[in-house]
Amino acid sequence: MDAEEPSRTALATARARAYHQVADRPLILVDPLAGPLLGVTDDELAASGEPAEDRIDSRARRLFFAARARFAEDRVAAAAAAGVRQVVVLGAGLDTFAHRNPHPGLRVFEVDHPATQAWKRERLAAAGIRRPETMTFVPVDFETDALATELAAAGFDRAAPAVFVWLGVVFYLSPEAAHDTLAYIAGQARPVEVVFDYLRPAGTDAERARLRRRAERVAALGEPWHSLFTPEDIAAQLHGLGFTEVEDHSATELVAGYLDGPAEFDGAPPEALRASRLLRARR
């Protein structure tokens, strides 16, 4: 991504969450701050619609973005109920959980690229959304900065349990950077939990062609993919790092769990969801 500009994919994800609030029923994720943070009203979102030729994939992708965020927030709620008082949101983008955080005493550390984070601060100010005392910004470039150093400087307690939420990021990192981050998470005081999504490699020529088209679109935005994992490979990495509970969901399975079951997409999964998976690991 451009060092002076916010992430284009983070912006697209934020718009999808905002559009979900007006276009989909039932709601998977209730996020009344998504639109105001972008500076758009419900009427403007409703009027913008989505391209007719991309309607199925656009809706599928939007529902997955909502479902992965809902799943992560549900896991945070369970951890908070069990006494965990720290959440780290890695690659936060324009996520609004820290501003909707309903758990007293739960600190939220938002980690992201400095340019995206600076832009988010501007958007928060423009929207009149106050930063809560329980939220801390932690600017980090995953490829060049030391996550441990920056989090420690921000007041994160390495010796206390925590939940890490890492959505829409792993595939943009090198395999080494992704593994190093998982190793850092695994070294947190127990219990520690991480929720993240990843892309699996294609299994057929048709899937490879579809995945290549998606990769070309994000590369054209200056944010190319660098890492894909098979479920078996990522599970082996996690077990090797000491995680004892690994729960892996396909995107369609995840969305169906929050809506009307497998019939939601009426047949084969849409192209936008075929490679996407969401994983929860705990130790």
Side-chain angles (χ1 to χ4, degrees), residues 49-191:
E50 55 197 354
E53 68 275 10
D54 190 36
R55 186 166 294 148
I56 294 176
D57 274 352
S58 179
R59 171 173 161 77
R61 190 177 299 111
R62 182 172 71 246
L63 292 177
F64 176 58
F65 290 164
R68 72 185 185 185
R70 167 71 179 276
F71 182 91
E73 292 185 17
D74 287 349
R75 294 309 310 163
V76 168
V84 174
R85 291 294 175 263
Q86 299 183 115
V87 175
V88 180
V89 184
L90 300 170
L94 296 183
D95 187 79
T96 65
F97 171 73
H99 305 275
R100 298 181 284 106
N101 175 13
H103 311 294
L106 181 71
R107 294 192 65 186
V108 181
F109 296 86
E110 279 204 1
V111 178
D112 211 335
H113 191 281
T116 296
Q117 209 160 75
W119 185 67
K120 181 177 185 178
R121 287 174 179 264
E122 292 176 2
R123 289 302 321 144
L124 288 168
I129 300 174
R130 184 185 64 83
R131 185 178 75 174
E133 293 181 0
T134 52
M135 176 195 180
T136 302
F137 282 114
V138 187
V140 174
D141 184 327
F142 282 100
E143 295 288 354
T144 60
D145 294 335
L147 177 62
T149 300
E150 302 304 327
L151 274 173
F156 179 68
D157 187 353
R158 188 71 165 141
V163 177
F164 290 78
V165 176
W166 198 18
L167 303 179
V169 179
V170 169
F171 24 90
Y172 297 110
L173 304 179
S174 67
E176 295 77 17
H179 183 82
D180 288 349
T181 302
L182 288 171
Y184 169 79
I185 294 170
Q188 185 69 22
R190 298 187 187 190

